[in-house]
């Protein structure tokens, strides 16, 4: 039997961890390959991990054909939906699959004609409203992946800016999606160095970047309440009791962090000056 492995389709399958691979291998050795592998002509579209283990140990397997596809895009969409329905797929991989589905769906949508702004003539029907393509918004992609819109945004950033080593780290679960999107803002060589340092260094790098961003944000000025010119100044107006709303907890912490950083810099400067004076006294003694 000539079974073809398409690398593009195989990329949709999340690699098994060592423990997952060992568990599947034990199951196949003990019980055989109970579920049939799914083919599209000669191309394997479901059962890549089972096929590899069966080939390695000479375990017999069955195959079935899915003849409902007309193109490779149909196969891709079927595989994506198949994997999105599985609970074992990681959040990152679900986001990647949902974004890929959006690309395929968008490429298959015919270009909608621009709506005619002119009024229809008497007796003519008005042109139907343009139908919005499926999965055209980040919210729709997030629903398909069972993630938040913010997570989809972070995965998009990882795909665009992350070094391959960082992508592999988030795929393997070494670093979270949120932290990986933050580390992806570093130059590629610094990303690679952080990945080489392991989980602890990756978390530390993400933490330092967030702290630097927080410190660089200027504190927000309190909003001045609106005063109506038509209101008589009796002194009992509700706006007179509070001239400005107090800063939020986040703003207060940011201000404290900026103040502490300035204080640390000042202490380091004083420490350097003291060390220089000590050195001069030692040389003079």
């Amino acid at each position: 039997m000539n079974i073809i492995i398409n690398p593009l389709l195989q990329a949709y399958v999340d690699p098994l961890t060592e423990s997952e691979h060992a568990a599947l291998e034990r199951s196949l050795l003990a019980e055989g390959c109970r579920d049939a592998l799914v083919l599209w002509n000669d191309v394997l579209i479901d059962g890549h991990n089972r096929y590899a283990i069966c080939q390695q140990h000479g375990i017999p397997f069955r195959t079935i054909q899915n003849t409902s596809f007309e193109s490779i895009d149909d196969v891709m969409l079927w595989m994506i939906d198949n994997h999105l329905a599985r609970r074992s797929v990681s959040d990152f991989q679900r986001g990647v699959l949902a974004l890929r589905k959006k690309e395929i769906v968008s490429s298959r949508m015919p270009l909608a004609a621009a709506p005619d702004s002119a009024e229809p003539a008497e007796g003519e029907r008005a042109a139907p409203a343009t139908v919005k393509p499926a999965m055209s918004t980040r919210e729709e992609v997030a629903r398909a992946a069972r993630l938040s819109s913010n997570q989809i945004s972070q995965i998009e950033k990882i795909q665009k800016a992350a070094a391959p080593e960082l992508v592999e780290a988030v795929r393997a679960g070494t670093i979270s999606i949120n932290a990986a999107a933050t580390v992806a803002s570093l130059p590629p060589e610094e990303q690679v160095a952080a990945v080489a340092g392991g989980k602890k260094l990756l978390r530390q790098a993400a933490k330092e970047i967030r702290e630097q961003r927080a410190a660089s944000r200027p504190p927000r000025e309190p909003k001045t309440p609106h005063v109506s010119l038509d209101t008589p100044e009796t002194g009992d107006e509700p706006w007179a009791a509070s001239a400005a709303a107090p800063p939020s907890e986040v703003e207060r912490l940011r201000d404290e962090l900026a103040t502490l950083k300035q204080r640390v810099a000042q202490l380091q400067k004083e420490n350097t000056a003291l060390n220089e004076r000590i050195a001069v006294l030692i040389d003079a003694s």
Side-chain angles (χ1 to χ4, degrees):
M1 181 181 298
N2 181 31
I3 294 180
I4 299 174
I5 304 297
N6 185 315
L8 181 61
L9 300 180
Q10 189 179 23
Y12 289 162
V13 183
D14 237 356
L16 296 178
T17 63
E18 290 185 9
S19 59
E20 289 171 341
H21 186 277
L24 179 59
E25 189 175 34
R26 286 195 301 269
S27 174
L28 291 172
L29 288 170
E31 303 175 13
C33 188
R34 295 179 297 177
D35 298 324
L37 309 182
V38 184
L39 303 178
W40 177 52
N41 299 322
D42 292 334
V43 179
L44 182 62
I45 61 176
D46 185 53
H48 289 78
N49 293 310
R50 285 177 286 138
Y51 175 68
I53 296 174
C54 287
Q55 287 289 92
Q56 179 184 355
H57 295 285
I59 301 172
F61 56 86
R62 296 179 297 109
T63 63
I64 57 174
Q65 283 283 339
N66 190 326
T67 59
S68 63
F69 307 126
E70 296 181 359
S71 68
I72 191 68
D73 281 351
D74 292 335
V75 177
M76 290 179 182
L77 291 174
W78 180 85
M79 287 189 65
I80 288 172
D81 289 338
N82 197 24
H83 286 289
L84 286 175
R86 295 176 178 173
R87 289 179 296 177
S88 59
V89 178
S90 67
D91 288 350
F92 177 73
Q93 183 70 351
R94 283 207 310 274
V96 171
L97 290 171
L99 287 168
R100 179 59 182 142
K101 181 176 181 178
K102 176 188 175 183
E103 292 177 5
I104 297 172
V105 171
S106 300
S107 67
R108 291 167 61 130
M109 287 293 296
L111 294 176
D116 191 353
S117 59
E119 293 290 335
E122 186 177 353
E124 293 182 356
R125 293 184 180 180
T130 303
V131 179
K132 186 178 69 172
M135 297 191 73
S136 59
T137 66
R138 183 172 289 145
E139 288 73 18
E140 290 173 319
V141 176
R143 281 196 297 270
R146 303 196 304 278
L147 300 174
S148 67
S149 298
N150 187 46
Q151 285 175 304
I152 293 297
S153 176
Q154 291 169 345
I155 292 173
E156 287 179 309
K157 182 176 181 180
I158 292 169
Q159 288 183 310
K160 292 177 182 177
E165 292 83 356
L166 181 59
V167 174
E168 184 57 34
V170 68
R171 189 185 296 275
T174 306
I175 184 174
S176 68
I177 295 173
N178 183 16
T182 302
V183 176
S185 63
L186 294 172
E189 59 274 12
E190 294 185 24
Q191 296 181 38
V192 174
V195 172
K199 183 181 295 187
K200 185 175 181 180
L201 185 57
L202 281 168
R203 289 177 178 174
Q204 183 63 28
K207 179 181 177 182
E208 290 178 358
I209 293 170
R210 294 190 189 107
E211 289 177 348
Q212 290 172 3
R213 289 176 179 173
S216 64
R217 294 191 190 103
R220 295 182 181 179
E221 295 182 1
K223 295 181 179 179
T224 304
H226 175 70
V227 180
S228 174
L229 298 178
D230 298 330
T231 306
E233 298 181 1
T234 61
D236 297 328
E237 293 80 1
W239 49 265
S242 58
S248 67
E249 182 69 12
V250 174
E251 293 170 341
R252 186 181 64 79
L253 290 174
R254 285 175 180 167
D255 291 343
E256 289 184 5
L257 179 61
T259 302
L260 288 172
K261 285 182 176 291
Q262 293 175 356
R263 180 58 179 158
V264 168
Q266 180 63 30
L267 290 173
Q268 289 175 339
K269 185 177 180 181
E270 293 176 1
N271 186 44
T272 301
L274 288 172
N275 287 332
E276 292 175 353
R277 290 179 60 188
I278 291 171
V280 170
L281 291 174
I282 291 175
D283 292 339
S285 60

